Amino acid sequence: MKLIRTDEPIIARAFSFLWMHRVYVGRRFFELPPNEQVAALMHEEGHCVHRHTEQRVTCLLFLPFLLSWLCRRQEFEADRYSSQRGHSIALLQILKGDFAGNFFTPSHRERRERITQIG
């Protein structure tokens, strides 16, 4: 996995395709304490390991009406990946805000509930 620094006001985002795994870390990433940085990177690694980019491309080509459902499911899957590696508490700290979610991303409340269920 290659880390690429960007000036975007994000924590991080992943892009992977076949063997290429990239995680772009933005300005907000460097404001996080080290344990939360690791949790965020594990979340993004989860996107890469589970081949979420490839799934999204396939979905766009064949079942575009399911893209919203797929993207939301993938966020939960990446959270689970990070949580199962011992980063639940740090992930919950990152998600402590009140982001209401959108068409492609579940709300922070929904994500916190799922992470708490994982343990």
Side-chain angles (χ1 to χ4, degrees):
M1 180 171 66
K2 182 176 182 177
L3 292 179
I4 300 169
R5 189 175 188 154
T6 178
D7 196 38
E8 294 176 64
I10 61 169
I11 293 175
R13 64 181 163 82
F15 176 81
S16 63
F17 198 78
L18 303 173
W19 64 89
M20 183 184 70
H21 297 244
R22 303 277 190 266
V23 172
Y24 296 85
V25 292
R27 292 190 309 257
R28 290 183 52 216
F29 177 82
F30 298 99
E31 298 169 3
L32 298 175
N35 65 323
E36 292 177 24
Q37 288 179 345
V38 173
L41 289 176
M42 287 294 100
H43 172 91
E44 300 306 329
E45 183 177 281
H47 284 301
C48 294
V49 166
H50 292 292
R51 302 191 172 283
H52 289 167
T53 303
E54 291 94 325
Q55 291 174 14
R56 288 179 187 193
V57 169
T58 303
C59 185
L60 273 172
L61 291 172
F62 298 106
L63 300 165
F65 58 91
L66 291 178
L67 186 61
S68 173
W69 171 83
L70 178 66
C71 291
R72 294 173 60 82
R73 186 185 66 78
Q74 289 174 339
E75 282 305 306
F76 293 131
E77 189 171 42
D79 286 343
R80 185 172 55 250
Y81 183 90
S82 183
S83 294
Q84 289 174 336
R85 280 149 187 79
H87 303 289
S88 295
I89 293 171
L91 209 51
L92 289 170
Q93 278 300 112
I94 293 170
L95 299 170
K96 66 184 171 204
D98 289 328
F99 175 68
N102 59 40
F103 195 66
F104 298 107
T105 309
S107 71
H108 283 185
R109 182 188 52 76
E110 291 174 285
R111 291 175 68 187
R112 287 191 305 261
E113 287 173 2
R114 296 270 184 113
I115 291 166
T116 302
Q117 291 171 359
I118 295 166

